[in-house]
Amino acid sequence: MQTLHGTNISRRSAAHRPPAAPQLAIPRVGAAVRAAASATAPAPAPAPSGSTLTNNGATINWHQLKLKHVVDSGDFNRAAVDVVFKEALKMEKVKPHTKESRILDGFIMSTLFYEPSTRTRLSFESAMSRLGGTVLSTESAGEYSSAAKGETLEDTIRTVEGYADCIVIRHFQEGAAARAAAVASIPILNAGDGPGQHPTQALLDLYTIQREIGRLDGIKVGMVGDLANGRTVRSLCMLLSMYSEVQVYFVAPEVVRMREDIKHYLSARGVRWTEVSDLREVAADVDVLYQTRIQRERFQNMDDYAAARGKYIIDKDLMRILSPNAVVLHPLPRVDEITTDVDSDPRAAYFRQARNGLYVRMALLKLCLADGHPEILL
């Protein structure tokens, strides 16, 4: 294991790490799932009404946190994450034909996806529908919108905001969501911008870790695969940096190692990170093993892709090394980086992770749209 920071990081961490904040009480479901004892799992802590929470005696409102848009993971602080998580817990309980399922009645969400998507697009659309809203969708905006005629992204956003109350955008260019937010008068939610950011995925990943492991402070996370192009791991690193005593291991082929900007981001916040070549060594030590796909579509040189693919695979043999209390996550889709015989292992949490995306995105839509409207009972 090659530690790149050594003693420097330990000296820096005390100076740069923010003071520990009270951990949000989110019930842990992973232990119950693994033990098949859901009947004895702790009940969810009661969530306050509306989009507020009490933090050290102060009431915090979503919009007081200046998060009109959900574009960049770096825009969040722990208080904002706590707001989202408490709302997500309530979203898990929303049933059809109840008043909670109609809180976004009359609101319209537009999805503009310039890249393929299954989980992100459908979970956003399901989230809107489950809260009573309406969806305007285009599956391949680059081909079936006026972008094919040369229309700029900015002009598309200015046009679509006349038809909808929020826009969920996925784009192949890094920074596209920020460009959209710069000209939009309605909320923009970033559903992935090239190899840049995927903040809603990071939030659902963090929510899943809390639900499965039971804490966010003091966890060890191994990030595996295409870290250079992986917007999910980049965004997750930014959120993890808000928590104390977090340690991150980067396990990647040479051609797709984590980019320097994220390493610097973590170092500046006192987060210990290490680049490692031995996946088995990491698996024996972590609480979370976060696998990612080697993204063929991001490579211009297919020789580099061939060199990276298949280097790190999670299979039954590796699962024997993983701690009994650890979990395996993956943003999906997978190709061959997790073998299908791992799926039956209770520590394989990636499909539960995908399900959590529905609740987190329901929470975000509620907060972005219904908050600030006193006539709507939250």
Side-chain angles (χ1 to χ4, degrees):
M1 182 177 296
Q2 180 186 8
T3 302
L4 299 186
H5 287 264
T7 56
N8 288 337
I9 192 66
S10 61
R11 285 197 292 267
R12 297 182 68 172
S13 59
H16 288 276
R17 183 176 297 117
Q23 182 66 54
L24 178 65
I26 297 289
R28 180 183 178 186
V29 298
V33 170
R34 285 188 284 273
S38 57
T40 61
S49 62
S51 56
T52 62
L53 76 161
T54 299
N55 186 23
N56 296 328
T59 298
I60 300 171
N61 182 277
W62 173 258
H63 285 293
Q64 289 175 347
L65 299 169
K66 301 185 186 303
L67 283 170
K68 174 182 178 180
H69 306 293
V70 181
V71 169
D72 191 311
S73 294
D75 292 337
F76 283 79
N77 57 25
R78 285 183 68 149
V81 171
D82 285 356
V83 170
V84 175
F85 284 9
K86 287 200 172 190
E87 291 295 338
L89 273 177
K90 291 192 286 185
M91 295 300 101
E92 291 191 28
K93 300 178 180 179
V94 171
K95 302 297 183 185
H97 311 300
T98 61
K99 66 178 182 179
E100 291 82 11
S101 71
R102 296 188 295 271
I103 59 174
L104 295 185
D105 183 24
F107 288 93
I108 300 173
M109 178 186 77
S110 174
T111 52
L112 291 175
F113 278 65
Y114 294 79
E115 283 189 323
S117 173
T118 300
R119 279 149 296 277
T120 303
R121 176 173 167 243
L122 292 183
S123 65
F124 260 117
E125 294 182 358
S126 176
M128 191 64 174
S129 297
R130 285 171 181 261
L131 293 177
T134 304
V135 176
L136 299 177
S137 181
T138 176
E139 183 172 359
S140 182
E143 184 177 357
Y144 296 112
S145 76
S146 290
K149 304 174 185 178
E151 182 174 62
T152 66
L153 175 63
E154 287 79 2
D155 282 0
T156 298
I157 296 299
R158 290 187 180 104
T159 300
V160 173
E161 72 176 11
Y163 312 141
D165 300 293
C166 71
I167 297 173
V168 179
I169 182 171
R170 168 169 288 189
H171 203 279
F172 51 86
Q173 290 180 339
E174 186 171 352
R179 286 169 52 200
V183 300
S185 61
I186 62 174
I188 299 293
L189 295 96
N190 183 1
D193 58 339
Q197 281 279 320
H198 200 343
T200 69
Q201 179 71 45
L203 286 166
L204 76 89
D205 292 341
L206 203 67
Y207 185 74
T208 301
I209 294 171
Q210 173 67 69
R211 294 287 264 145
E212 296 283 334
I213 302 299
R215 70 186 193 281
L216 294 171
D217 291 312
I219 62 171
K220 296 180 179 180
V221 181
M223 297 185 174
V224 188
D226 189 348
L227 306 186
N229 301 306
R231 57 197 175 199
T232 62
V233 290
R234 291 171 57 80
S235 294
L236 181 56
C237 279
M238 296 175 78
L239 292 186
L240 286 171
S241 72
M242 298 186 298
Y243 297 87
S244 63
E245 303 299 332
V246 169
Q247 186 165 348
V248 180
Y249 299 102
F250 296 134
V251 188
E254 184 70 24
V255 295
V256 286
R257 291 170 64 178
M258 178 59 77
R259 287 192 261 164
E260 293 300 316
D261 61 336
I262 291 297
K263 296 175 186 177
H264 293 156
Y265 189 96
L266 294 175
S267 296
R269 287 154 181 79
V271 178
R272 298 183 63 186
W273 59 267
T274 306
E275 289 193 310
V276 186
S277 59
D278 187 348
L279 177 57
R280 295 171 69 87
E281 184 179 357
V282 170
D285 192 43
V286 296
D287 303 294
V288 178
L289 200 57
Y290 192 105
Q291 177 70 291
T292 66
R293 174 178 61 93
I294 302 297
Q295 300 179 65
R296 186 179 188 276
E297 65 273 20
R298 307 289 183 204
F299 284 81
Q300 295 183 349
N301 186 327
M302 287 300 103
D303 289 337
D304 287 344
Y305 170 71
R309 182 182 176 184
K311 186 172 178 61
Y312 295 112
I313 295 176
I314 297 177
D315 55 17
K316 280 287 191 181
D317 288 338
L318 190 80
M319 295 298 286
R320 295 188 183 97
I321 300 170
L322 192 68
S323 164
N325 296 316
V327 293
V328 176
L329 301 184
H330 192 307
L332 302 175
R334 66 173 164 187
V335 180
D336 55 7
E337 62 276 0
I338 300 179
T339 59
T340 56
D341 56 3
V342 172
D343 295 353
S344 59
D345 192 304
R347 295 167 295 176
Y350 29 89
F351 292 114
R352 299 194 293 274
Q353 176 187 2
R355 179 71 176 179
N356 286 336
L358 172 65
Y359 307 129
V360 168
R361 288 168 177 139
M362 288 171 72
L364 289 169
L365 289 172
K366 176 183 176 182
L367 290 164
C368 284
L369 294 174
D371 189 25
H373 292 264
E375 72 278 9
I376 296 175
L377 181 62
L378 296 178

